Amino acid sequence: MPATFDPDHLRARLRPLAEARPLSEEDLAYQQFYGLELGERRGMGRFEVAGYELVSHVWWPARPKATLFLFHGFYDHTGLYRHVIEWALAQGFVVIACDLPGHGLSSGERASIGDFAEYQAVVQGLFAEAVSLQLPPPWHLCGQSTGGAIVIDHVLNSGADSPAQGQVILLSPLVRPRAWGWSQLSYNLLKPFVKGIARRFSENSNDPAFLPFLQADPLQPRRLPTAWVGALAKWIKRIEAAPGSARRPLIIQGEADMTVDWQHNLEVLNAKFDRPQVLMLPEARHHLANESVALRDEYFGFLSKRIKGRNL
């Protein structure tokens, strides 16, 4: 099915979520393309932060009892997170998300960022959108890969000041990517000469339909900007020096993940947090949000059991 929406045109007519108009035909075409026609009602909006125009999304279940903030991974966008959204709605959570700068429907150089601190400005902007909608507490946080890094940064550095004191869910969280030493060497060699390199699509899921869809996705960036790698290098030093937290996140990690250095990352997270609850999936690859049905069912069951144990 060909895409029948233009990101720039779609974004231009959106307003903040609290002022959102009924969804246009173009909005509906976008949601249909990615299977986001979910919940009892839904909305799309736009807010500005750090010089970016970011597109936000919200879905309500029939009887809301909490809110889940969803942060997508690098190269991704909200449109790829249908399965996570469906699970959260079934738990009674309102789901609110936005496309990160340079991703999906949001503005910015594709897949680039000047500093990871800009992602924290995005978090605060999305919190403000949730306040404007009076979304119900407790507020939970969920991030996949780079989205997990954003959540980790927020939780470690905000502590009790964060309005999101609910559960923290990390899917294949990024602290350091796989083969980071080689990546740094390559970055230092290339940055004087190039601004980016061609992206290589990897087998990052056991779902045979996911990779072909990803390769045909009109919102997928096609290059890896060297600026993003440089920002990541600075962020890794920041996060590994961050204070610890008494919170106990739920972490899902695939042992067949060839994107992040998950052994190192789990060591860091075990040291930073109070006894994280970790589910290891031997066959799972990196893109847990789009893993095979069996693997999704396993980790969603793990999450549902522990969230119900909090009496939410």
Side-chain angles (χ1 to χ4, degrees):
M1 172 185 173
T4 54
F5 56 88
D6 175 77
D8 293 335
H9 184 266
L10 188 156
R11 183 176 66 250
R13 66 165 299 280
L14 293 173
R15 304 168 66 89
L17 283 172
E19 306 170 17
R21 302 165 176 164
L23 297 175
S24 69
E25 289 186 10
E26 193 170 22
D27 301 336
L28 294 171
Y30 160 82
Q31 292 191 337
Q32 183 179 21
F33 185 84
Y34 292 105
L36 299 178
E37 299 159 300
L38 305 170
E40 288 293 303
R41 60 189 177 101
R42 59 194 190 272
M44 293 176 64
R46 182 187 67 186
F47 66 100
E48 296 184 12
V49 100
Y52 300 104
E53 292 185 335
L54 304 182
V55 173
S56 50
H57 313 257
V58 64
W59 296 263
W60 282 268
R63 289 178 292 278
K65 63 180 183 180
T67 300
L68 182 78
F69 290 80
L70 178 59
F71 296 94
H72 66 73
F74 185 58
Y75 289 139
D76 285 352
H77 56 87
T78 307
L80 301 180
Y81 284 72
R82 172 172 59 92
H83 303 304
V84 178
I85 296 164
E86 286 179 323
W87 167 79
L89 290 170
Q91 307 306 305
F93 300 161
V94 179
V95 180
I96 185 168
C98 69
D99 293 349
L100 295 174
H103 290 76
L105 299 172
S106 293
S107 71
E109 182 183 349
R110 293 297 87 186
S112 193
I113 202 76
D115 191 294
F116 269 44
E118 295 177 35
Y119 290 142
Q120 293 308 305
V122 171
V123 173
Q124 297 303 321
L126 196 60
F127 284 165
E129 287 287 89
V131 168
S132 73
L133 294 172
Q134 299 182 317
L135 297 187
W139 286 3
H140 308 300
L141 301 170
C142 177
Q144 155 97 29
S145 193
T146 296
I150 293 167
V151 170
I152 291 164
D153 194 346
H154 172 74
V155 172
L156 292 181
N157 289 292
S158 296
D161 293 332
S162 171
Q165 292 294 325
Q167 187 64 66
V168 174
I169 299 170
L170 305 173
L171 308 178
S172 306
L174 170 68
V175 175
R176 191 170 74 183
R178 185 171 176 268
W180 177 233
W182 173 249
S183 298
Q184 284 183 291
L185 176 62
S186 300
Y187 165 72
N188 288 324
L189 291 172
L190 290 172
K191 69 176 180 178
F193 308 106
V194 298
K195 293 186 176 180
I197 58 174
R199 175 185 178 185
R200 181 178 63 86
F201 286 85
S202 61
E203 290 279 357
N204 59 359
S205 166
N206 287 289
D207 181 348
F210 180 60
L211 185 58
F213 179 84
L214 200 65
Q215 291 173 321
D217 180 5
L219 296 182
Q220 285 299 303
R222 302 291 163 169
R223 293 181 67 77
L224 168 62
T226 53
W228 189 87
V229 180
L232 174 63
K234 295 177 183 176
W235 178 82
I236 290 173
K237 293 178 181 178
R238 164 183 160 85
I239 212 63
E240 294 188 345
S245 170
R247 296 178 73 170
R248 195 179 186 189
L250 302 175
I251 302 175
I252 315 298
Q253 180 59 61
E255 294 182 45
D257 187 335
M258 302 297 286
T259 300
V260 297
D261 185 354
W262 58 265
Q263 296 94 334
H264 170 81
N265 297 350
L266 290 179
E267 287 180 7
V268 171
L269 296 177
N270 273 302
K272 294 293 182 185
F273 291 102
D274 179 21
R275 295 168 296 136
Q277 299 180 73
V278 182
L279 174 65
M280 300 299 299
L281 298 172
E283 297 179 2
R285 296 177 178 173
H286 182 64
H287 212 295
L288 290 172
N290 283 283
E291 257 296 359
S292 65
V293 174
L295 289 169
R296 292 200 310 268
D297 286 348
E298 184 173 354
Y299 78 74
F300 283 144
F302 171 89
L303 295 175
S304 298
K305 181 179 179 180
R306 281 149 185 83
I307 285 173
K308 287 176 182 176
R310 290 172 58 102
N311 297 316
L312 301 176

